[in-house]
Amino acid sequence: MSLKIINRISGCDVILASASPRRKELLELITDNFRVIPSDCDETLPEGIVPEDTAEYLSRIKCMSIAEVYESSIVIGCDTVVICGEVMGKPSDREDAERMLRLLSGRTHKVITGVTLAYKGKSISFSEVTEVTFLELSDEDIALYLDSGEPFDKAGAYGIQGLGSMLVSGIKGDFFNVVGLPVSRLAGELGTFLESV
């Protein structure tokens, strides 16, 4: 059972290789004994990468950039993307955020969070997929949401845990995955990984 991981990692040095405050809050559901050391690596994607592999690829390079320095620590790297005809990361500006919201309006899209775990020279990666369906958004809906300031630091230009929840008509899969960290899957994978190291 995933809850066993709480005791398993107590006393270990755990590093979250992400500056996301949402991921920090979610990891605290598993353990409050961790440090945050954001990675500063080149996130250029290789040519021809399959969109569904993007988040896992980025989680790996983030994780490994920290794990190379902290080999005796358990390092957790993550990345979340939204896929709706294209890979959507964080919007570059208001115009880009508006474009993303118009593309998501009335449609179902995938939210994929890639996670990489590294410890003592070994690593594993996995992805969790959640489907999210948006309501039809009016011009006013989009303008009001943009004015809130919430979309600009989030993949796909929305936060399901905030005002963005009012844009969503349905969800299939792990809610926390959409926020940025598949908590239950992470706990299970972490337990299995540590047993194998």
Side-chain angles (χ1 to χ4, degrees):
M1 187 177 183
S2 299
L3 289 172
K4 290 189 291 188
I5 192 60
I6 295 171
N7 292 328
R8 181 74 176 81
I9 62 175
S10 64
C12 295
D13 183 39
V14 180
I15 297 172
L16 176 62
S18 172
S20 166
R22 294 165 294 281
R23 290 200 182 102
K24 179 177 181 292
E25 289 175 7
L26 292 176
L27 186 56
E28 286 171 351
L29 297 174
I30 299 173
T31 178
D32 57 7
N33 181 33
F34 66 91
R35 299 185 284 160
V36 173
I37 304 178
S39 65
D40 183 22
C41 57
D42 179 7
E43 296 185 28
T44 303
L45 294 170
E47 194 172 325
I49 189 170
V50 176
E52 285 77 7
D53 295 339
T54 301
E56 194 169 311
Y57 172 82
L58 291 172
S59 79
R60 183 163 189 81
I61 62 172
K62 290 176 180 180
C63 179
M64 300 315 293
S65 71
I66 300 299
E68 288 171 0
V69 180
Y70 299 94
E71 190 172 315
S72 61
S73 302
I74 300 167
V75 181
I76 304 169
C78 316
D79 194 83
T80 301
V81 298
V82 170
I83 299 179
C84 186
E86 64 181 62
V87 176
M88 297 179 178
K90 296 175 184 177
S92 56
D93 53 27
R94 184 183 176 99
E95 184 177 309
D96 193 32
E98 180 178 349
R99 182 188 65 79
M100 289 182 184
L101 291 168
R102 290 192 185 285
L103 192 57
L104 296 173
S105 175
R107 300 175 68 185
T108 297
H109 60 272
K110 292 180 183 176
V111 178
I112 302 178
T113 297
V115 180
T116 297
L117 309 174
Y119 185 46
K120 294 184 177 179
K122 295 186 178 181
S123 64
I124 61 162
S125 299
F126 64 91
S127 294
E128 185 72 17
V129 182
T130 303
E131 292 184 355
V132 180
T133 303
F134 261 35
L135 297 163
E136 290 282 353
L137 306 180
S138 67
D139 290 347
E140 184 181 18
D141 292 331
I142 292 172
L144 287 170
Y145 189 53
L146 292 170
D147 288 345
S148 76
E150 186 176 271
F152 303 111
D153 68 337
K154 295 170 179 64
Y158 76 96
I160 198 170
Q161 74 281 10
L163 287 174
S165 61
M166 290 186 277
L167 311 180
V168 174
S169 64
I171 178 172
K172 182 180 179 182
D174 183 348
F175 170 83
F176 292 121
N177 188 53
V178 185
V179 181
L181 195 68
V183 177
S184 179
R185 174 86 184 271
L186 171 58
E189 295 280 358
L190 192 51
T192 302
F193 175 61
L194 293 179
E195 286 175 4
S196 70
V197 174

